[in-house]
Amino acid sequence: MGTSTKRPKSKSGQSAGKQTSGKPGANQQASGAAKTTPDAAVSTSKTTTNAASGAKTKPVTTGAKASTGPASATVVSKAAQTPARPPSGRLQTNKRDQKREARREEFSRKIEERRQQRERERRNRTLKRWALFGLPSVAAVVIVGILLYNTFFGPQVAPYLRGAPIDGISCDSLEGQVTHYHAHLQIYVNGQQVPIPGDVGRQSITPCFYWLHVHSDTGDEGVIHIESPNKNTFDLRQFFDIWGQTLSATNLLGHKVDAAHKLTVYVYATDQQPSDPSQPFTVTPPNDLKPYTDDPAKIPLKAHELIVLEYGTPLVPPPAWSFLPNE
């Protein structure tokens, strides 16, 4: 029997599916491609892209389901929520900064404590200086002030030097012009004339003029200036009160009037007045002038009047007096 050279018939599916090279046939490749899922396609594209570029980059999905599918959205949201961890070098820097800041604060605190200590030391030195020098100096100033006040404004000082209103007469900065005339006063104690101070009625510390005052001008000694802002009448007692001296029927300048020491008063008010005010005006009392017997404190002050007060003896006849021009 001879050997048969016929080959067994292949199945139609196998012969159709194979090629001579042993590779899958075209039909198998088509059916495989049809059966490939989208995920496989994505995976294949990722592998191909990475292999082609050769770079270490994150795969990019191009399929529709990869960009819009639920799984992809979940991955993105988790990545967005995960906080980024700072590098280890930054943590070390923060610790170094914290230590540096702590040292800086400690240094500032020590500087402030030192400043406060210096301030306390300065205050203590100031208090010591005040205790040694300041307080005695203040006490000395106070004592001197009290002495000066008593010297110029104390109760022993004449009222006209204190500038306070006296008997309704105030001390004004200017001389009054409504009433303006002059009278002359002379005082004798046991035959000796007593001068009247030239500043009676004029306050020099805070310059002012009482309505009744005198001046220290030569030839004007003892002349009482009646210069008032009203038309009131004034008496001799008011002038003595401004002067700060005593005048009554029983006392003159502190001298007690008694049987051995009588008080004799002369008052002469002329009816004549100067025809030319620019010229001196002389008033001469008569030789037979009678003494004034009423209370001398009540003698009214009149223009160009002569008033003579004599305590004790000997008596001095009332002298004439020449008023200065325009008086």
Side-chain angles (χ1 to χ4, degrees):
M1 300 180 57
T3 303
S4 176
T5 59
K6 295 182 179 180
R7 293 180 181 178
K9 294 181 179 181
S10 61
K11 296 182 181 180
S12 61
Q14 294 177 354
S15 60
K18 295 181 179 180
Q19 296 179 353
T20 58
S21 64
K23 293 183 180 181
N27 293 335
Q28 291 179 351
Q29 292 177 357
S31 62
K35 292 180 181 180
T36 301
T37 61
D39 295 336
V42 172
S43 175
T44 303
S45 66
K46 293 179 180 178
T47 305
T48 304
T49 304
N50 292 337
S53 61
K56 296 181 180 180
T57 57
K58 292 184 180 180
V60 179
T61 59
T62 58
K65 290 184 179 181
S67 60
T68 59
S72 176
T74 302
V75 172
V76 173
S77 64
K78 289 183 178 180
Q81 293 178 357
T82 303
R85 293 183 179 180
S88 59
R90 182 59 181 171
L91 292 176
Q92 295 177 0
T93 303
N94 289 341
K95 290 182 179 180
R96 189 182 303 111
D97 293 342
Q98 290 176 0
K99 291 181 180 180
R100 186 183 296 109
E101 184 65 24
R103 289 195 298 269
R104 187 182 295 109
E105 292 178 355
E106 180 67 15
F107 184 71
S108 299
R109 183 183 63 81
K110 291 182 179 179
I111 291 177
E112 179 63 20
E113 290 179 354
R114 180 58 181 166
R115 188 192 65 79
Q116 293 178 359
Q117 182 180 359
R118 290 196 299 269
E119 183 67 20
R120 288 192 297 268
E121 293 174 354
R122 186 187 64 80
R123 287 197 299 266
N124 292 335
R125 289 194 299 269
T126 302
L127 291 176
K128 289 180 181 179
R129 286 196 295 268
W130 268 99
L132 293 176
F133 305 103
L135 293 178
S137 300
V138 171
V141 170
V142 171
I143 293 174
V144 171
I146 293 174
L147 294 176
L148 291 175
Y149 179 84
N150 290 331
T151 300
F152 294 102
F153 302 101
Q156 77 280 2
V157 179
Y160 66 88
L161 291 178
R162 297 197 297 267
I166 301 172
D167 296 341
I169 300 175
S170 63
C171 194
D172 301 331
S173 58
L174 298 175
E175 297 173 321
Q177 299 297 326
V178 175
T179 300
H180 189 186
Y181 56 90
H182 306 83
H184 185 254
L185 173 64
Q186 288 180 313
I187 301 175
Y188 295 89
V189 174
N190 297 326
Q192 299 296 321
Q193 186 174 2
V194 177
I196 299 174
D199 59 351
V200 173
R202 293 187 297 119
Q203 219 274 2
S204 58
I205 298 177
T206 54
C208 63
F209 297 85
Y210 283 96
W211 302 343
L212 308 180
H213 61 269
V214 297
H215 291 273
S216 57
D217 300 334
T218 302
D220 201 41
E221 298 84 358
V223 174
I224 302 174
H225 293 243
I226 299 92
E227 302 177 26
S228 169
N230 54 51
K231 294 183 178 181
N232 294 349
T233 58
F234 305 94
D235 55 39
L236 192 59
R237 175 188 60 84
Q238 291 174 300
F239 175 77
F240 269 76
D241 288 344
I242 293 174
W243 185 8
Q245 298 294 336
T246 304
L247 175 62
S248 67
T250 58
N251 195 296
L252 173 64
L253 303 179
H255 299 283
K256 184 177 180 181
V257 177
D258 52 26
H261 304 84
K262 295 183 179 180
L263 178 60
T264 305
V265 180
Y266 295 98
V267 178
Y268 178 68
T270 179
D271 294 332
Q272 298 180 359
Q273 296 300 320
S275 58
D276 185 1
S278 63
Q279 298 298 321
F281 181 69
T282 302
V283 178
T284 303
N287 293 330
D288 57 351
L289 183 64
K290 302 298 181 181
Y292 182 85
T293 56
D294 291 336
D295 186 355
K298 297 180 180 180
I299 297 174
L301 299 178
K302 299 180 180 179
H304 300 110
E305 181 180 40
L306 301 184
I307 302 173
V308 180
L309 305 178
E310 299 191 35
Y311 175 83
T313 57
L315 295 177
V316 178
W321 181 259
S322 294
F323 290 92
L324 296 177
N326 298 316
E327 282 190 342

